[in-house]
């Protein structure tokens, strides 16, 4: 009876581990889509609301996923209080502080961080084009990741089940 319970615990733990790793892999892809959505909001504020960049960043901070809100709010606050610093410097410093730990995929982080280098000092049309270019870069990364994420999710789930059953067989 104890061996059966122990075996079941090992099997469920392996399955849980496999599904946890698969969910984390899926989250990487979802973050890219969420960042893209955030950039579309920013572009909309600039294009249709004719909102200056600092105000646009603050406005979209309430409309984005919670994990990106502290970053956007801090950028907006820094732009208000440190008007002598460039947008690029504020954007990159805040990205280092607030986004590096939040974004799982380093390529998404780099794309978003690099956008700050060019967007802050341009006119409205160039800001929109910079955002569109960033969205295209994200689309490219998402496209490249999509198949890999699906394969990895299947692999993690299968490995979780297979390894847990293997461990039970070896221990019996």
């Amino acid at each position: 009876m104890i061996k059966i319970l122990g075996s079941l615990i090992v099997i469920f733990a392996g399955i849980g581990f496999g599904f946890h790793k698969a969910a984390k892999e899926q989250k990487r892809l979802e973050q890219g889509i969420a960042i893209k959505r955030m950039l579309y909001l920013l572009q909309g504020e600039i294009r249709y609301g004719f909102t200056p960049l600092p105000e646009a960043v603050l406005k979209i901070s309430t409309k984005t996923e919670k994990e990106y809100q502290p970053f956007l709010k801090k950028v907006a606050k820094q732009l208000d209080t440190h008007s002598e610093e460039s947008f690029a410097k504020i954007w990159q410093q805040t990205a280092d502080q607030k986004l590096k730990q939040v974004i799982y995929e380093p390529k998404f982080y780099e794309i978003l961080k690099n956008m700050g280098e060019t967007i802050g000092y341009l006119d409205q049309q160039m800001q929109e084009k910079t955002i569109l270019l960033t969205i295209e870069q994200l689309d490219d990364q998402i496209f490249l990741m999509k198949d890999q994420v699906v394969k990895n999710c299947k692999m993690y789930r299968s490995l979780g089940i297979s390894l847990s059953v293997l461990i039970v067989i070896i221990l019996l």
Side-chain angles (χ1 to χ4, degrees), residues 50-63:
F50 301 105
T51 311
L53 192 56
E55 286 179 43
V57 170
L58 183 61
K59 277 187 176 182
I60 69 164
S61 69
T62 59
K63 300 174 186 174

Side-chain angles (χ1 to χ4, degrees), residues 14-15 22 25 36 43 47 49 55 64-65 70 116 141 153 164:
I15 291 170
E25 189 75 14
K36 204 169 94 171
Q43 182 189 28
R47 177 184 286 170
E55 286 179 43
T64 61
E65 280 75 5
Q141 285 303 315
C153 286
S164 61

Side-chain angles (χ1 to χ4, degrees), residues 118-160:
T118 55
I119 195 172
Y121 62 89
L122 304 172
D123 66 347
Q124 179 184 346
Q125 284 184 328
M126 290 305 290
Q127 287 176 353
E128 289 177 39
K129 288 180 182 179
T130 300
I131 293 170
L132 275 176
L133 176 65
T134 305
I135 290 170
E136 286 177 18
Q137 291 172 340
L138 285 169
D139 274 339
D140 291 344
Q141 285 303 315
I142 290 169
F143 179 77
L144 293 173
M145 283 180 65
K146 218 171 218 173
D147 289 335
Q148 192 64 37
V149 167
V150 170
K151 289 176 188 175
N152 286 350
C153 286
K154 288 179 184 178
M155 178 190 67
Y156 286 133
R157 290 180 188 127
S158 298
L159 278 175

Side-chain angles (χ1 to χ4, degrees), residues 7 13 35 40-41 51 63 66 75 80 102 107 143 169:
S7 299
I35 292 169
Y40 275 124
L41 286 171
T51 311
K63 300 174 186 174
K66 289 184 181 187
V75 167
D80 281 345
V102 174
K107 291 175 185 170
F143 179 77
I169 290 172

Side-chain angles (χ1 to χ4, degrees), residues 31 67-68 71 91-106 108-110 112-113:
Q31 276 190 328
E67 58 194 346
Y68 307 116
F71 164 71
W91 182 270
Q92 290 180 345
Q93 285 176 344
T94 310
D96 286 338
Q97 294 169 0
K98 298 286 184 183
L99 286 181
K100 204 167 200 170
Q101 305 83 2
V102 174
I103 298 178
Y104 297 128
E105 180 59 41
F108 293 151
Y109 170 74
E110 286 302 318
L112 192 59
K113 185 178 173 187

Side-chain angles (χ1 to χ4, degrees), residues 2-104:
I2 294 176
K3 280 189 174 187
I4 293 173
L5 275 176
S7 299
L8 286 174
I9 290 172
V10 169
I11 289 173
F12 285 124
I15 291 170
F17 179 74
F19 276 79
H20 172 72
K21 290 293 282 183
K24 202 168 185 179
E25 189 75 14
Q26 185 68 30
K27 178 74 172 162
R28 285 178 46 224
L29 188 61
E30 290 170 2
Q31 276 190 328
I33 295 166
I35 292 169
K36 204 169 94 171
R37 196 170 27 249
M38 176 179 71
L39 293 177
Y40 275 124
L41 286 171
L42 182 61
Q43 182 189 28
E45 280 296 328
I46 292 168
R47 177 184 286 170
Y48 302 113
F50 301 105
T51 311
L53 192 56
E55 286 179 43
V57 170
L58 183 61
K59 277 187 176 182
I60 69 164
S61 69
T62 59
K63 300 174 186 174
T64 61
E65 280 75 5
K66 289 184 181 187
E67 58 194 346
Y68 307 116
Q69 289 178 1
F71 164 71
L72 294 168
K73 286 178 182 177
K74 185 163 184 181
V75 167
K77 183 180 177 185
Q78 293 280 60
L79 288 170
D80 281 345
T81 58
H82 297 89
S83 58
E84 69 277 352
E85 288 187 45
S86 70
F87 180 86
K89 185 176 180 183
I90 291 172
W91 182 270
Q92 290 180 345
Q93 285 176 344
T94 310
D96 286 338
Q97 294 169 0
K98 298 286 184 183
L99 286 181
K100 204 167 200 170
Q101 305 83 2
V102 174
I103 298 178
Y104 297 128

